[in-house]
Amino acid sequence: MSKTQIATGGIADDAVTAAKSSGLGKIIAIYQDAGNTQYATTTDDSESFTDVTDVAITLTPASSSSKFFLTWNTGGNNVAGASQALNMDLDFKRAISGGTTTGKLIQSTVAVGAGRRFQYDNRSSALGINYLNCTMTVSFLDSPSTASAITYTPQFSKNQWAGTNGTSMGVNSGIFQIMEFSG
């Protein structure tokens, strides 16, 4: 097999253009929203998700082959201050304009309980930690295969397994970021 080398000075400045180079896997756009709204629920059901609407992001893909890397950084909060032990689940909802809405995106494409469950236990009120806050992050790579506008919304649920039942627990809206990659 022969090997050809071209000296750096042998390539004209206008010979290599973006149109001639592969755009696969390159970051096309970055979207971000943040907020400090406190979302809470007293529902103890890991299948019932609450939307965190103030950081929802609506975007229009550059192409139908674009992929989106979603990251949500949030903090759990014990609104009522009662001792409890529970699981917090984080996920995303995808709504395609003129198309389908898929809630619990990670669960519906990977598996229930896949990599986004956080355990929280603050039943030790003797230590004065009834208002313990925890930091949580979830990420997901989505391939929606559409060029239509998409709205991504972070979601959470709680499933209490010990402590004071019906306690209001939730998350702060936090920071939601999306990177669009060429596909």
Side-chain angles (χ1 to χ4, degrees):
M1 174 189 274
S2 66
K3 183 175 173 184
T4 304
Q5 292 183 340
I6 300 173
T8 306
I11 300 175
D13 289 342
D14 61 353
V16 179
T17 64
K20 293 178 185 175
S21 67
S22 170
L24 298 178
K26 296 187 190 256
I27 296 174
I28 297 172
I30 298 175
Y31 307 88
Q32 177 174 292
D33 201 355
N36 59 7
T37 302
Q38 187 175 49
Y39 287 81
T41 183
T42 57
T43 303
D44 288 319
D45 179 3
S46 59
E47 294 301 312
S48 176
F49 278 71
T50 300
D51 291 348
V52 180
T53 57
D54 73 321
V55 293
I57 295 174
T58 299
L59 54 88
T60 300
S63 78
S64 61
S65 62
S66 289
K67 298 184 183 326
F68 298 92
F69 187 70
L70 291 67
T71 303
W72 181 33
N73 299 294
T74 185
N77 56 66
N78 185 342
V79 179
S83 66
Q84 58 186 317
L86 51 87
N87 294 322
M88 292 289 289
D89 291 332
L90 303 182
D91 216 315
F92 301 102
K93 179 170 73 175
R94 176 186 65 210
I96 298 173
S97 178
T100 59
T101 297
T102 306
K104 300 182 278 185
L105 192 56
I106 299 172
Q107 287 188 39
S108 67
T109 57
V110 180
V112 174
R116 73 226 166 341
R117 177 165 280 181
F118 298 86
Q119 291 191 345
Y120 176 95
D121 189 346
N122 72 337
R123 291 175 290 166
S124 180
S125 60
L127 298 176
I129 58 171
N130 272 345
Y131 289 94
L132 178 69
N133 294 322
C134 57
T135 300
M136 300 176 285
T137 300
V138 65
S139 298
F140 182 69
L141 181 63
D142 189 30
S143 302
S145 300
T146 184
S148 298
I150 303 170
T151 300
Y152 286 105
T153 307
Q155 299 179 296
F156 77 96
S157 73
K158 78 171 183 120
N159 184 19
Q160 189 168 332
W161 50 270
T164 306
N165 288 331
T167 302
S168 185
M169 180 71 181
V171 298
N172 292 312
S173 46
I175 299 173
F176 183 32
Q177 299 168 322
I178 300 174
M179 287 190 287
E180 180 178 0
F181 292 89
S182 57

